Amino acid sequence: MSSIPSFFNGRRSNIFDPFSQDIWDPFKDFPFPSSSSLYETPEAHVFKVDLPGLKKEEVKVEVEDDRVVRISGERKIEKEDKNDTWHCVERSSGKFLRSFRLPENAKMDEIKALMENGVLTVTVPKVEAKKPEVKAIEISC
């Protein structure tokens, strides 16, 4: 199923997509780390976010009742020494927030987050798909 392009921040939008990012975001104009990805394995939904230079204490991962995962934090501005001469600053600072709506098969009580080498990985296990029960029906005369 393809996504319908959105005119809002280049984010994908599709009412049929459980990972649609069309959640009202009051912090949408705050910078967000340069790269993030979302993929699915047979066992889980996985979110990876590059957060170089941030400690796990500076990042929050929260789950709202309506199946929304929120990743937020703040990168503080580097303190400048009055004796330094800055030629170029390309590192962003400020608050960031990203929200993802989870599909119905997400195990909300088993979500795990791991921060390693500047990469946050949020793993959301899936509920095992129930196999359809097949029952033979006897044909009578």
Side-chain angles (χ1 to χ4, degrees), residues 12 17-18 20 32 38 45 49 51 72 79 101 104 112:
R12 67 187 206 167
D17 184 356
S20 177
F32 189 72
L38 163 65
H45 305 284
V49 182
L51 298 169
S72 63
K79 293 186 181 182
R101 185 171 307 282
E104 292 296 320
K112 294 189 178 1

Side-chain angles (χ1 to χ4, degrees), residues 57-134:
E57 296 81 17
E58 298 171 313
V59 178
K60 285 197 312 189
V61 178
E62 302 169 308
V63 180
E64 296 177 6
D65 291 336
D66 55 348
R67 309 184 75 79
V68 175
V69 172
R70 296 169 52 105
I71 301 170
S72 63
E74 182 174 6
R75 179 173 282 127
K76 305 283 185 192
I77 297 174
E78 258 184 69
K79 293 186 181 182
E80 298 179 21
D81 187 335
K82 302 242 187 249
N83 297 323
D84 292 344
T85 302
W86 290 77
H87 299 286
C88 179
V89 176
E90 292 183 356
R91 298 175 70 202
S92 63
S93 60
K95 294 181 181 182
F96 60 88
L97 175 110
R98 190 65 176 264
S99 299
F100 299 94
R101 185 171 307 282
L102 296 172
E104 292 296 320
N105 68 347
K107 289 184 178 180
M108 302 299 290
D109 56 341
E110 295 182 26
I111 297 173
K112 294 189 178 1
L114 171 71
M115 181 81 123
E116 188 172 54
N117 296 326
V119 178
L120 173 69
T121 302
V122 179
T123 305
V124 183
K126 293 180 185 179
V127 174
E128 290 183 32
K130 185 176 179 183
K131 295 181 182 178
E133 191 174 308
V134 178

Side-chain angles (χ1 to χ4, degrees), residues 42-53:
E43 299 81 28
H45 305 284
V46 182
F47 304 86
K48 288 197 175 208
V49 182
D50 290 344
L51 298 169

